[in-house]
Amino acid sequence: MTTHPLAPRRLAAFDKLFSALERKRCEPLAVSGAQLKAQCPAPTHHGTALLLASRETRLGEGDGLRFGCHGVPQCSQEDILSALGLDSAELGISRLEANPEQQGGSSPVGPSEARLSNPNQASVAVPTETFMTAPQVHTGSRHRDNTAATAPGLPVIGSTGWRYEAGEHEGAVWKARRGKDASWELVLDWAPYVSERLVVLGDDGKSAGRYYTITIGADTLTKSLADLRTADGWNDFSDDSGAASRSTREVLINIITDQGKRLPRTPVVTHTGWHRLPDVGLTYVYADGRTYPHGRLVRVIGAPEALRNAAAPLARTASLSECQRALQDIASHGWAPMMALSVGARSLAYTLRPLAATFVFDAEPNSGKTSAANTSRSLLLTPRPNAWPPVPTKGMNSTVTDIECAVDFEGDMPILLDDIPLTHVSSAAEVREMEKKLEFVIRAAGNGTEIKGRRNRDLSAKPGNRVRSIPVIAAQMLPPSMQESLYRRSVVAYLSREGGEVDWRWYKNGGGQSLSVPLRTIGDQIIADLYACDDPCAYLTRLESEAFQMLAPYVDCELPERSDTMEGVVSAASAMLSGLGLVAAATGIPMADLVKVVAAPLAQSLAKQASRMDEQSTAHSSVAAAIGEVLRKSLFYKRAHIRDAKGVVGPIVPGQIEQDQGVTYKRERKCWDGKGPALYWLPQRGPALGVTTRNLNMLLKASGDPRVNSFADRTLPDALLQAGVIHRNLSQKDRIASHRVRVGADNLRLLLLKAELVWEL
């Protein structure tokens, strides 16, 4: 059996017609993969009227491109082509047929239809209603095999020998039968109907994936092309009977993409905030799908339902006097909420000028840290049914993956990670878990890198999740072992329960709820102001400079001699404080009046942060002393023991008593015995004590020493090498922190600790 696919020039003709209608702003809409409707481009005689066009193919008979005006009176085909700036030769058509009414006769295709055809091929007319629902072409044939030579429906491009019809309420898929006689077998009595083609925009503005809105039976779902290529992508459709095999699903995917190419491209973004959309330029996308400017054609995917509801617009906006009164209320009830408001306002401009830092509340329990942070969040969100507090991005008890996905979605909006529930009696495991989460978020924000690298199945690089705003982290207590490098990438505000930083009672008793409408109004106005700015980056740079000049005198009083590292923290704090310049522009209050509320206590908090960073730096330099102390205690209390290079237990370290080597002589067995992990005495290697990474880390964690009990097995070797605790491996460039050592019959990978850390030799 021979099939006759659509001629390439006929496909080109249909595309040219569609594109010409788009250029003429006739709003063409692809009803299916082969049909469209639009406004008539030549409304000379009748005003606005409907234009219908269709491409058809008949097995063995050729193809045709049909179009016609449905106005009264009708426009001629010549008028339509002239209005579009096309001619029949450009479309590859050698003969133009007149409208039936113009010929003075009737036609089964209806009085409003015309046909462009090739004189060497036959063009078969189809009833006018098939412009709206293609499956009506072969009504009745879906429930029996089509044994006629005429091919049903449309060809499935990419799947030879398959054809389909797709409508919103019905459809069918056929497959050519093998044999002498041309015939078609009904494979499915349904077909996926595509109503929307969504193109995901990457960070560079280029296409990064495709989604389709698909109807199968009673289900209408939006699915990515990547999901459709797996069996799981079809599980949510309840009426897809017969699509279990992989080969059938491949045909269905080709049916979906064939319809999709006739639909207009709807841009899709995977995170909120500022985007440069094709043709329209800079646009802010809210979590509920709204845009600024309003009405931009774009879809946002991935927003949790609670976040979408919280981002929905309010019934009213606040007046200027209400917004000014709200700022006065915030200022009179503590400096910390005003600082959080500044951070949130600056977050709205993150993409326009990134700020690589994190803002952290290190607060005692019940000190109002969440209330303070929520003034930031309220610039864009108001939960329903309660107006306070706003929904957080994630709680810090969530998994690392859950946190990174939520942070990646919330771009150019205040991010709140609430709350780190550590206390002085928290276990070492709880401390390490919280430090790991802080490491991911703070380091990614400070370095402008992906939170965690990811790979495709073929091990090629896959775009990872990023921090796209300024995270605000509320902590009941920061991990005592948090690295100094994380403090360097953060601005920390220290809060106490009765210190006056936050009047949490006022917020709890209705004050927070009274701020909802004014803060939402201020947030929307900041976005509008940024859009209207000719050069937002230069504008933000100027605000940061002004904020630094206002803050610097207070910092000089608290930190007259500060390190270069602390100078970077002060610069980050000033950049965050520039958000009050955006608030000032939106409310008409002078920026200096707002900064005065925050400057002095913020400088005091920065001085406390500097002291804390010095403590952490000192603790890091004492890692060597801590490890020596831990190993001496472990040997003394028989939690570890010494062996020689052959793996034999015994007191073999010169000048050290048995007890200091963790060994005991068993008289009944006439041998030495030791408990716990083994430390191998290697006098020819330094001298050194060899130990596996796992055993050493187990001893460090069991010690409870905060200086050394928070390392992961994979990070411990590099940390010890940096601290000068172990000997460097000079023979292996990829394993410089560990050594391969023969111990008895085994070949072990060991860390070689400097023996002088443990004993005076």
Side-chain angles (χ1 to χ4, degrees):
M1 183 185 69
T2 303
T3 59
H4 295 267
L6 288 173
R9 69 174 184 174
R10 221 28 98 221
L11 286 170
F14 189 84
D15 289 339
K16 285 182 179 179
L17 180 61
F18 193 98
S19 299
L21 289 167
E22 282 187 322
R23 290 195 301 271
K24 198 67 175 178
R25 300 184 182 277
C26 294
E27 300 180 0
L29 175 64
V31 179
S32 71
Q35 300 163 350
L36 67 85
K37 61 181 180 180
Q39 295 180 5
C40 179
T44 306
H45 306 295
H46 51 61
T48 300
L50 183 65
L51 173 75
L52 297 178
S54 176
R55 182 187 69 214
E56 60 174 2
T57 301
R58 296 284 180 160
L59 183 63
E61 297 182 0
D63 54 78
L65 177 63
R66 303 177 297 112
F67 72 95
C69 169
H70 280 226
V72 179
Q74 291 177 273
C75 295
S76 68
Q77 291 80 42
E78 290 86 350
D79 290 341
I80 294 172
L81 290 176
S82 176
L84 293 174
L86 300 174
D87 56 42
S88 58
E90 183 179 358
L91 294 176
I93 304 300
S94 56
R95 177 164 58 88
L96 178 65
E97 296 186 359
N99 281 346
E101 285 189 350
Q102 293 172 335
Q103 294 176 327
S106 61
S107 169
V109 301
S112 60
E113 211 171 87
R115 182 186 304 133
L116 287 173
S117 63
N118 190 312
N120 298 321
Q121 295 177 330
S123 181
V124 181
V126 181
T128 302
E129 59 267 22
T130 63
F131 286 112
M132 300 306 297
T133 55
Q136 294 178 8
V137 177
H138 294 279
T139 301
S141 66
R142 269 182 292 280
H143 306 292
R144 59 179 174 82
D145 292 345
N146 188 339
T147 58
T150 300
L154 300 168
V156 181
I157 307 301
S159 298
T160 305
W162 291 79
R163 301 182 74 87
Y164 77 98
E165 290 175 351
E168 187 173 1
H169 303 293
E170 54 181 333
V173 179
W174 293 271
K175 182 180 181 182
R177 280 180 173 171
R178 297 181 179 179
K180 295 181 179 179
D181 298 328
S183 61
W184 294 90
E185 175 186 0
L186 180 68
V187 178
L188 300 174
D189 61 355
W190 58 272
Y193 172 76
V194 179
S195 57
E196 194 173 20
R197 175 176 59 150
L198 309 171
V199 179
V200 179
L201 298 180
D203 291 335
D204 57 359
K206 298 179 180 179
S207 174
R210 284 178 283 172
Y211 283 75
Y212 296 95
T213 301
I214 303 167
T215 298
I216 298 178
D219 302 315
T220 299
L221 304 172
T222 299
K223 291 286 184 178
S224 71
L225 184 60
D227 287 341
L228 293 173
R229 286 172 173 157
T230 67
D232 293 339
W234 298 86
N235 289 341
D236 296 330
F237 293 102
S238 58
D239 298 326
D240 64 339
S241 59
S245 70
R246 181 176 179 178
S247 59
T248 302
R249 290 197 301 270
E250 289 176 352
V251 174
L252 294 176
I253 291 173
N254 286 335
I255 291 174
I256 290 170
T257 56
D258 183 62
Q259 295 178 70
K261 69 185 179 183
R262 299 300 168 207
L263 296 172
R265 294 163 57 103
T266 300
V268 171
V269 294
T270 56
H271 60 86
T272 64
W274 296 103
H275 298 270
R276 293 198 178 275
L277 301 179
D279 301 327
V280 295
L282 191 64
T283 302
Y284 189 91
V285 181
Y286 291 84
D288 65 335
R290 291 180 298 122
T291 64
Y292 189 89
H294 304 295
R296 293 283 172 86
L297 180 63
V298 64
R299 285 268 302 274
V300 61
I301 58 174
E305 183 177 0
L307 190 65
R308 286 199 308 271
N309 294 337
L314 299 177
R316 71 178 188 91
T317 58
S319 64
L320 182 61
S321 60
E322 286 180 289
C323 294
Q324 294 172 344
R325 191 181 312 117
L327 293 178
Q328 293 170 357
D329 288 340
I330 294 173
S332 62
H333 292 92
W335 72 272
M338 183 65 78
M339 183 64 198
L341 179 66
S342 179
V343 175
R346 182 60 180 81
S347 296
L348 301 180
Y350 182 90
T351 296
L352 304 177
R353 180 172 167 79
L355 202 171
T358 300
F359 186 76
V360 181
F361 281 119
D362 187 349
E364 296 178 357
N366 300 317
S367 59
K369 59 185 178 298
T370 303
S371 295
N374 279 332
T375 58
S376 166
R377 196 79 169 152
S378 294
L379 286 169
L380 292 185
L381 302 175
T382 306
R384 276 74 170 176
N386 301 316
W388 188 269
V391 57
T393 304
K394 276 295 172 185
M396 287 298 285
N397 280 327
S398 303
T399 65
V400 172
T401 301
D402 205 17
I403 290 173
E404 69 164 306
C405 291
V407 167
D408 178 81
F409 175 78
E410 296 188 3
D412 297 305
M413 65 178 291
I415 292 175
L416 173 57
L417 299 175
D418 189 35
D419 138 56
I420 297 179
L422 293 181
T423 66
H424 292 289
V425 296
S426 296
S427 67
E430 292 173 327
V431 173
R432 288 194 302 273
E433 180 66 20
M434 287 302 164
E435 189 172 23
K436 177 183 177 182
K437 294 173 182 178
L438 289 171
E439 173 83 19
F440 275 115
V441 175
I442 295 177
R443 202 168 294 281
N447 296 342
T449 58
E450 297 174 343
I451 298 177
K452 186 165 56 178
R454 298 189 180 277
R455 293 278 172 176
N456 294 306
R457 292 182 178 180
D458 61 357
L459 299 184
S460 60
K462 178 180 180 180
N465 295 319
R466 292 179 174 272
V467 178
R468 305 176 185 277
S469 189
I470 306 173
V472 175
I473 299 176
Q476 188 168 281
M477 184 184 81
L478 289 175
S481 56
M482 188 171 115
Q483 298 179 36
E484 186 263 349
S485 62
L486 297 185
Y487 278 101
R488 190 168 64 244
R489 292 167 170 82
S490 306
V491 175
V492 183
Y494 296 89
L495 309 181
S496 59
R497 180 171 173 80
E498 302 298 338
E501 296 90 356
V502 185
D503 184 358
W504 57 270
R505 295 179 180 86
W506 180 81
Y507 283 92
K508 182 179 179 181
N509 294 329
Q513 185 169 344
S514 70
L515 300 175
S516 293
V517 176
L519 290 183
R520 284 292 296 272
T521 303
I522 292 172
D524 289 341
Q525 186 59 49
I526 290 174
I527 291 173
D529 290 345
L530 289 170
Y531 176 81
C533 186
D534 293 334
D535 189 347
C537 185
Y539 173 53
L540 294 167
T541 302
R542 178 172 60 81
L543 290 180
E544 290 175 10
S545 177
E546 293 177 4
F548 181 82
Q549 293 174 8
M550 295 177 188
L551 179 64
Y554 297 92
V555 177
D556 290 340
C557 292
E558 300 292 337
L559 287 169
E561 296 182 1
R562 51 185 179 269
S563 64
D564 292 341
T565 297
M566 199 60 208
E567 193 67 47
V569 176
V570 173
S571 296
S574 301
M576 293 179 182
L577 201 58
S578 68
L580 291 179
L582 299 173
V583 175
T587 59
I589 297 178
M591 178 181 175
D593 292 349
L594 300 177
V595 173
K596 284 181 182 178
V597 178
V598 175
L602 176 60
Q604 295 170 4
S605 190
L606 290 173
K608 187 173 182 179
Q609 180 178 347
S611 175
R612 180 60 178 158
M613 290 170 67
D614 290 340
E615 293 175 3
Q616 291 300 99
S617 179
T618 302
H620 180 74
S621 64
S622 63
V623 167
I627 289 179
E629 184 179 338
V630 168
L631 292 180
R632 282 192 296 273
K633 288 182 179 180
S634 297
L635 292 169
F636 184 83
Y637 291 107
K638 304 297 188 296
R639 292 193 290 264
H641 66 279
I642 297 296
R643 297 189 180 201
D644 64 15
K646 295 181 179 180
V648 178
V649 180
I652 56 177
V653 181
Q656 306 301 319
I657 63 175
E658 301 169 5
Q659 191 172 15
D660 288 341
Q661 299 183 56
V663 296
T664 304
Y665 187 73
K666 299 294 183 181
R667 296 186 181 276
E668 64 278 7
R669 291 187 295 172
K670 297 182 180 181
C671 67
W672 293 94
D673 185 40
K675 296 181 179 180
L679 303 178
Y680 300 98
W681 173 246
L682 306 171
Q684 305 302 321
R685 295 257 188 166
L689 283 174
V691 61
T692 64
T693 301
R694 183 176 181 181
N695 284 343
L696 177 59
N697 209 17
M698 181 175 65
L699 293 173
L700 299 180
K701 286 179 168 56
S703 70
D705 192 322
R707 294 172 293 177
V708 291
N709 71 346
S710 61
F711 292 111
D713 287 355
R714 63 182 176 81
T715 61
L716 179 61
D718 290 337
L720 297 185
L721 185 64
Q722 184 178 1
V725 174
I726 59 178
H727 292 287
R728 179 183 293 270
N729 186 344
L730 300 177
S731 61
Q732 286 184 281
K733 294 182 179 180
D734 58 334
R735 303 294 290 272
I736 61 174
S738 60
H739 302 249
R740 185 68 72 180
V741 180
R742 172 73 67 176
V743 178
D746 298 324
N747 195 15
L748 303 179
R749 174 69 65 176
L750 302 178
L751 302 176
L752 300 189
L753 296 164
K754 296 178 180 179
E756 59 267 25
L757 294 175
V758 184
W759 303 296
E760 293 182 4
L761 300 175

